Amino acid sequence: MLEVRNGTGETLGVLFDRYHAPLYNFYTKLTGDRTLSDDLVQEVFLRILKYRQSYEPGTPFRAWIYQIARNARVDHYRKTPRHITFEAEMVAPVMPKDSAQQSEETELLHRALLQMPEEKREILVLSRFQELKYEEIARLLGCELGTVKTRIHRAIQELRQNFKQLERGLAPRDAGPAVVKTIPPRRFGNEM
Amino acid sequence: MRCEEIGELLPDYFEGSLKAGQDSLVEEHIAQCADCREEVVIWKKLSLLPVERLGAGSRERFEAMLSAYQTGRSDKASAGFGPSKRGLLWSWLRSPVGALAWSAALLVIGVFAGNYFGNRPTHSSANQDEIATMHTELANMKQMVVLSMLQQQSAGERLQGVSYSRREDQLDPQVMSALVHTLRYDGSVDVRLAALDALSRHGAQPQVHKGVVDALQEQQSPLVQVALIDLMLEWRDPDAAQRLRDFVQTPNLNPAVRQRADWALSRLN
Ligand SMILES: [Zn+2]
């Protein structure tokens, strides 16, 4: 029995190796919270163990995993009311040392993304970062392919507006280098 | 074109799936229109967001979760698991398959193991059902592996998919039609030849015959053409001679292929 248990663990372990990074990035981009994202990744693998019977062999299992991932997040927020802030717990982008300008831009971009309503943020994360095709996203969200494309476009419009506002608010165009001082880049060196 | 119409095209433009004409429409427009251009720019900028990595402790948490879960489960688990059945599963587990197909399979193995060890009653009367279920799940798993590998980008992985399909004595209908499709349309001559070789072992199935014989007219590679001709000769299908007579009429046929077809025809008559 021990051998079999080890075997099952090993197989799920390989699954963990394959999927933990995409799932973790799905959650960090969606929630901006590393601790929560780590918890949610663990939750996904627990659910894979618990609900494996619900997987139909022959169907795309990537979609199945993302379905689990979405549900895990929804259930988490049902239990724990959310309060998104931009404080220390939140994700700060990794700064390339040679490019303060770019790192600032990256941070603004992530803030702009986190300001968006969840639905729009999710569709951007799914389409831009998770290597899911639009058809797969449509299946995942239970909507038409055309709807997915429309939603992506609307989301990108909104992201652009948010980004511009942040840029204006924090970085007047001719104030250039001063900005770097007022918003010191934050790092979480030990975590990267 | 108006911004609205361009906006409808943008998601496909992002994905690189627009037709050539529409592609240049978008590009002409964004060269003129700052608003639409900024949308494209912000989409591209999203790639600047860093890839986050889970901390080192995460794997340990996962192991701990797994072990806690399994400890909870093991009380219920059945002890009866015939060594031959286990041998079947584990020898399959060790077989070299592509990474993607592999992880796909792992999930199903998980499903299988869960069904088997987790939730089933332990009575021996249920054993027959369990073994039948196990066989079905194993078959589905293998089918999924072959089908997913035949869809891979790399010819090497598709080749592995084909060779994996050869392990089965029985050809699953879906795998068979995937192999026929591969024989007809795969971009790599090697993969097409391997598919033909795999199919040639299942000549007893009429649909395999049909797929192979139909593939002749579309083949461009002389190597595959010759292999098809040889197989048709070996099988001696009733309509093989007629097919070959049609085939040798094909303009610009490779001389060596024509020679082979003529030779096959002489043997068939
Ligand atoms: Zn425009």
Side-chain angles (χ1 to χ4, degrees):
Chain A
M1 209 55 226
L2 187 66
E3 187 192 337
V4 171
R5 276 177 49 186
N6 291 344
T8 311
E10 205 177 306
T11 55
L12 195 74
V14 177
L15 213 56
F16 182 85
D17 292 340
R18 168 74 180 77
Y19 280 99
H20 76 270
L23 286 171
Y24 185 59
N25 277 274
F26 173 64
Y27 285 132
T28 52
K29 291 191 170 65
L30 218 50
T31 67
D33 184 332
R34 288 195 179 112
T35 310
L36 173 62
S37 298
D38 192 357
D39 289 348
L40 286 172
V41 169
Q42 300 288 340
E43 174 67 18
V44 168
F45 285 95
L46 180 60
R47 287 181 183 215
I48 289 176
L49 261 180
K50 277 189 192 163
Y51 304 133
R52 60 201 162 210
Q53 283 87 350
S54 75
Y55 175 73
E56 290 171 40
T59 61
F61 69 97
R62 194 160 62 155
W64 183 71
I65 284 185
Y66 276 103
Q67 194 62 61
I68 290 180
R70 296 182 76 230
N71 292 343
R73 187 176 59 96
V74 170
D75 292 348
H76 168 82
Y77 282 133
R78 203 175 286 151
K79 282 181 229 152
T80 324
R82 78 197 76 185
H83 29 82
I84 287 190
T85 62
F86 296 103
E87 299 315 316
E89 290 293 311
M90 309 304 287
V91 172
V94 188
M95 309 298 177
K97 277 178 191 155
D98 54 343
S99 172
Q101 183 81 47
Q102 181 176 320
S103 63
E104 184 207 327
E105 198 175 37
T106 308
E107 181 163 352
L108 289 187
L109 189 60
H110 202 177
R111 287 191 186 197
L113 188 65
L114 288 169
Q115 282 176 359
M116 294 180 42
E118 208 164 271
E119 255 188 48
K120 289 182 177 164
R121 185 162 68 243
E122 183 180 42
I123 204 157
L124 278 187
V125 172
L126 287 171
S127 59
R128 189 70 176 95
F129 301 105
Q130 303 309 126
E131 295 175 358
L132 289 167
K133 296 200 179 89
Y134 295 161
E135 289 88 4
E136 291 176 293
I137 296 173
R139 210 176 307 133
L140 193 59
L141 304 182
C143 64
E144 298 291 316
L145 179 60
T147 313
V148 169
K149 292 181 190 174
T150 312
R151 284 202 210 161
I152 288 173
H153 183 232
R154 292 213 188 110
I156 215 71
Q157 283 179 313
E158 186 165 333
L159 180 68
R160 174 189 152 233
Q161 296 299 341
N162 290 356
F163 183 72
K164 276 182 106 167
Q165 274 170 15
L166 286 172
E167 227 178 11
R168 273 195 220 108
L170 296 167
R173 290 203 179 278
D174 36 1
V179 174
V180 181
K181 277 187 208 157
T182 53
I183 312 171
R186 288 176 293 168
R187 301 185 64 126
F188 293 98
N190 57 334
E191 288 184 58
M192 288 294 109
Chain B
M1 254 181 140
R2 290 175 314 153
C3 297
E4 271 177 45
E5 295 168 82
I6 293 297
E8 283 173 22
L9 298 177
L10 281 181
D12 285 327
Y13 178 73
F14 296 151
E15 209 187 30
S17 57
L18 279 182
K19 289 180 211 116
Q22 291 177 312
D23 222 41
S24 53
L25 272 181
V26 172
E27 267 153 23
E28 280 164 30
H29 180 90
I30 60 176
Q32 313 280 324
C33 170
D35 283 348
C36 292
R37 184 167 59 242
E38 280 177 26
E39 288 175 16
V40 174
V41 167
I42 201 100
W43 173 267
K44 288 186 177 159
K45 267 192 189 147
L46 279 171
S47 71
L48 296 175
L49 291 186
V51 174
E52 301 281 338
R53 293 205 192 91
L54 262 174
S58 182
R59 172 85 202 201
E60 282 154 33
R61 280 182 73 195
F62 163 74
E63 302 282 356
M65 176 276 286
L66 188 64
S67 133
Y69 183 83
Q70 287 179 327
T71 308
R73 283 273 157 168
S74 63
D75 316 338
K76 298 182 202 162
S78 157
F81 191 49
S84 68
K85 301 306 169 196
R86 190 168 63 195
L88 183 66
L89 178 65
W90 292 105
S91 68
W92 189 83
L93 269 175
R94 283 188 220 100
S95 63
V97 289
L100 186 93
W102 183 229
S103 45
L106 286 169
L107 185 56
V108 186
I109 295 167
V111 173
F112 154 72
N115 283 341
Y116 201 86
F117 303 112
N119 297 336
R120 298 297 169 91
T122 58
H123 314 289
S124 63
S125 60
N127 271 355
Q128 290 310 309
D129 281 354
E130 288 175 8
I131 287 167
T133 308
M134 185 188 78
H135 277 297
T136 312
E137 286 175 350
L138 211 55
N140 287 344
M141 184 163 74
K142 290 173 174 178
Q143 175 200 334
M144 177 162 68
V145 168
V146 173
L147 294 179
S148 68
M149 290 182 79
L150 287 178
Q151 294 163 8
Q152 294 308 302
Q153 288 287 320
S154 107
E157 281 180 282
R158 297 199 303 277
L159 211 51
Q160 265 188 309
V162 172
S163 69
Y164 192 70
S165 76
R166 295 173 52 99
R167 298 181 190 196
E168 296 311 293
D169 295 333
Q170 295 285 316
L171 201 54
D172 171 271
Q174 273 182 283
V175 171
M176 188 202 72
S177 62
L179 284 174
V180 168
H181 188 271
T182 299
L183 170 63
R184 292 176 120 173
Y185 304 114
D186 197 283
S188 150
V189 171
D190 287 340
V191 177
R192 294 207 298 275
L193 280 173
L196 180 61
D197 192 43
L199 286 166
S200 70
R201 300 166 65 245
H202 301 280
Q205 294 190 36
Q207 276 184 303
V208 172
H209 270 234
K210 188 174 179 316
V212 166
V213 171
D214 286 349
L216 181 64
Q217 213 62 5
E218 294 155 349
Q219 285 300 324
Q220 299 301 319
S221 149
L223 274 176
V224 184
Q225 287 169 332
V226 167
L228 281 166
I229 292 166
D230 288 354
L231 192 58
M232 284 166 72
L233 177 62
E234 189 187 318
W235 282 348
R236 293 185 175 269
D237 270 336
D239 62 340
Q242 188 53 50
R243 291 293 188 121
L244 285 174
R245 274 193 289 273
D246 292 345
F247 179 68
V248 292
Q249 304 302 317
T250 316
N252 306 323
L253 203 57
N254 178 298
V257 175
R258 191 185 300 280
Q259 208 178 6
R260 190 70 158 203
D262 286 335
W263 170 78
L265 271 170
S266 70
R267 298 281 302 269
L268 282 170
N269 290 331

